[in-house]
Amino acid sequence: MADERAPVLVLGVGNELFRDEGLGVVAARCVAQLDLAGVEVADGGTLGLSLLPEIADREAVLILDAVVKHDGRPGEVVVLADGSVPTGWTHVVSAHQIGVPDALAAAALAGRAPRRVAVVGMVPASLDTGFGLTPETAAHIDELVRRTLGVLSGWGIEACGA
């Protein structure tokens, strides 16, 4: 069954009920509209460890998420390139820091980890309760998508007309 799936997964994670915490899911929807060959785009929401079946046996996984940096400013796009995503994400902190890295670790323990893993995220302006991105964050979603396409390009995936 894993052979039928696209080799690359772009996984948007986040909770859209906490304003900018949902920016990964919003960005994933934008990437999905590009219909990239060899790429599956999924809304991982807040599923955390339950994402193991989606992650396992992929060639590559690119995670889109809200990230908090100690010296970051709202709207800043953060890229942890292929090979630099540490276990526990010591340089960035996300609400999904527990679940997604755990799913990646479980895939590795099972011998089914993706060969490549990267994160493209953005520093949120607000994590308050409420639906919809803040204007500050919404204004930078195109940049997050552009940087996502840059990572995918480095993996040999090109977006026609994007």
Side-chain angles (χ1 to χ4, degrees):
M1 180 170 14
D3 296 338
E4 299 170 14
R5 301 184 312 166
V8 175
L9 174 65
V10 173
L11 181 63
V13 293
N15 188 338
E16 291 187 274
L17 298 178
F18 292 100
R19 301 297 311 246
D20 296 340
E21 168 50 24
L23 68 87
V25 173
V26 171
R29 287 188 199 116
C30 295
V31 173
Q33 292 177 356
L34 300 174
D35 197 28
L36 303 170
V39 176
E40 179 180 343
V41 180
D43 175 349
T46 59
L47 295 175
L49 189 57
S50 299
L51 293 168
L52 176 59
E54 289 297 320
I55 291 170
D57 301 317
R58 300 283 184 163
E59 172 68 22
V61 174
L62 178 53
I63 300 162
L64 309 180
D65 197 3
V67 296
V68 178
K69 283 180 46 178
H70 298 297
D71 60 346
R73 65 187 188 293
E76 178 183 351
V77 176
V78 177
V79 178
L80 292 179
D82 183 31
S84 69
V85 179
T87 303
W89 297 351
T90 56
H91 295 99
V92 259
V93 178
S94 163
H96 314 289
Q97 187 170 9
I98 295 169
V100 175
D102 287 344
L104 290 166
L109 283 172
R112 300 175 62 193
R115 204 168 54 84
R116 296 176 164 169
V117 177
V119 175
V120 179
M122 184 190 305
V123 177
S126 172
L127 298 176
D128 292 338
T129 303
F131 187 79
L133 300 178
T134 61
E136 299 91 340
T137 296
H140 292 93
I141 288 292
D142 287 345
E143 173 66 12
L144 191 145
V145 170
R146 187 184 70 72
R147 300 286 295 274
T148 298
L149 294 175
V151 171
L152 292 172
S153 177
W155 290 351
I157 296 166
E158 295 300 325
C160 298

